Amino acid sequence: ACPPAARAAPAAAAATAGSGGLSAAAAIAAFWSQVVETQKTQTRREATLPIEATADAALVLEYMNSCADLCRSDACSVTLPATEQATADAAIRVVVEPTAASSLEPPPSPAREAAASTTREAALEQMMTWFTGALMACEIGDIDADADDAATDDETFVALGRSLLHTKSSEVTFAPTVQEMHADLWRLVAESDYLLDGSGGAALFVAPAFTNFEIFDDFSLLVRSGLRYLVSPKIEVHVYHPLARSERLRAPMPTVHIYLDNEDLFADGDGTLASLLGSM
């Protein structure tokens, strides 16, 4: 996978090109890119993000305001001043200012140090092994099981198997801040056309270093609401973490699996580690 700095450039270019505007997902990715750059450089940044006509600019603005609240306690301040509508597309102006110097490196911990030594390939391999085990744990067609339990296992097997089979892209990130995690995830979504055009498929986002469960839980809630309101209400967001409250969600790596089903969906890959690595 390309480093975040290299991959952020296209979104920034699109924001100034004015070629029809940004999708909601690309606009959110560009928003977080501005925040991350301010955190890194401790310099003021400003951008005007044109929003494509098919997106709900008011809803995008509302979500950005929710994201801005997350930034206020972390060494930067985000304001979204009113912007004159210069074209047929709406535009959102983003101003990010540093409010205090802060270290991007979190305090050391055994869990984070172990995560840092994990390669992208190893992280995906661990998750695919865990997913395989989760599928095998489903007792399909168990005639001795309670009818409701058997039906639940069957449904879980089909749903999980289908989402894995149709996973078309993946991202493994070791971003040091929550804001950069948001930027990496939304960049993945913005680049996943099958999520944006309704054709369907799944994207796998793995964050080995995101070991703080409470912060990860807040992160996933904000992401889930954004994906369902800005991209598609039909999107399924499955969240896994080593410290998840439910045993069935305790995966070896903090992971967000984003899936949009479609009855006409056909598998581009084969659901294997090799096909996922090819998407990075």
Side-chain angles (χ1 to χ4, degrees):
C2 298
R7 297 179 63 186
T16 57
S19 57
L22 299 171
S23 68
I28 300 302
F31 167 92
W32 283 117
S33 177
Q34 296 298 316
V35 171
V36 169
E37 287 305 309
T38 295
Q39 286 184 315
K40 288 180 176 179
T41 63
Q42 287 295 293
T43 57
R44 183 181 189 273
R45 294 184 67 84
E46 182 174 337
T48 299
L49 309 178
I51 310 300
E52 66 182 9
T54 56
D56 188 332
L59 202 55
V60 173
L61 178 61
E62 182 179 346
Y63 185 75
M64 284 185 181
N65 274 309
S66 296
C67 296
D69 289 338
L70 177 65
C71 301
R72 290 194 178 99
S73 62
D74 205 356
C76 64
S77 173
V78 180
T79 54
L80 301 162
T83 304
E84 292 295 329
Q85 189 170 331
T87 66
D89 297 325
I92 297 176
R93 186 174 164 220
V94 179
V95 179
V96 191
E97 299 191 48
T99 56
S102 68
S103 170
L104 290 179
E105 292 300 325
S109 73
R112 286 194 64 89
E113 289 173 3
S117 66
T118 302
T119 66
R120 285 173 166 78
E121 290 186 18
L124 281 177
E125 184 174 11
Q126 285 190 52
M127 282 308 300
M128 295 309 295
T129 298
W130 183 82
F131 279 129
T132 300
L135 282 171
M136 293 178 66
C138 295
E139 299 178 357
I140 304 301
D142 185 356
I143 60 175
D144 295 324
D146 178 87
D148 291 338
D149 291 340
T152 300
D153 266 354
D154 289 356
E155 292 169 1
T156 299
F157 180 87
V158 171
L160 179 58
R162 184 169 170 80
S163 64
L164 289 174
L165 183 64
H166 294 297
T167 298
K168 299 179 178 180
S169 56
S170 61
E171 174 73 16
V172 178
T173 179
F174 297 91
T177 66
V178 176
Q179 290 78 15
E180 198 164 345
M181 292 282 186
H182 279 284
D184 287 349
L185 184 142
W186 279 101
R187 191 180 303 112
L188 172 64
V189 173
E191 294 172 354
S192 302
D193 292 341
Y194 53 88
L195 294 175
L196 309 183
D197 63 18
S199 58
L204 190 66
F205 179 81
V206 184
F210 211 153
T211 54
N212 187 310
F213 175 69
E214 296 303 325
I215 297 178
F216 179 78
D217 195 34
D218 291 341
F219 165 86
S220 63
L221 289 173
L222 183 59
V223 164
R224 179 182 279 112
S225 65
L227 289 170
R228 288 182 175 170
Y229 283 101
L230 299 179
V231 181
S232 171
K234 297 180 179 180
I235 277 185
E236 300 174 17
V237 182
H238 303 284
V239 179
Y240 307 93
H241 195 279
L243 301 177
R245 298 178 183 89
S246 171
E247 184 176 354
R248 68 182 182 84
L249 301 178
R250 289 179 198 151
M253 300 279 173
T255 298
V256 180
H257 198 199
I258 304 164
Y259 178 50
L260 178 63
D261 203 353
N262 185 319
E263 61 181 10
D264 298 322
L265 191 60
F266 294 97
D268 288 343
D270 55 10
T272 64
L273 176 64
S275 66
L276 285 180
L277 287 174
S279 68
M280 295 179 62

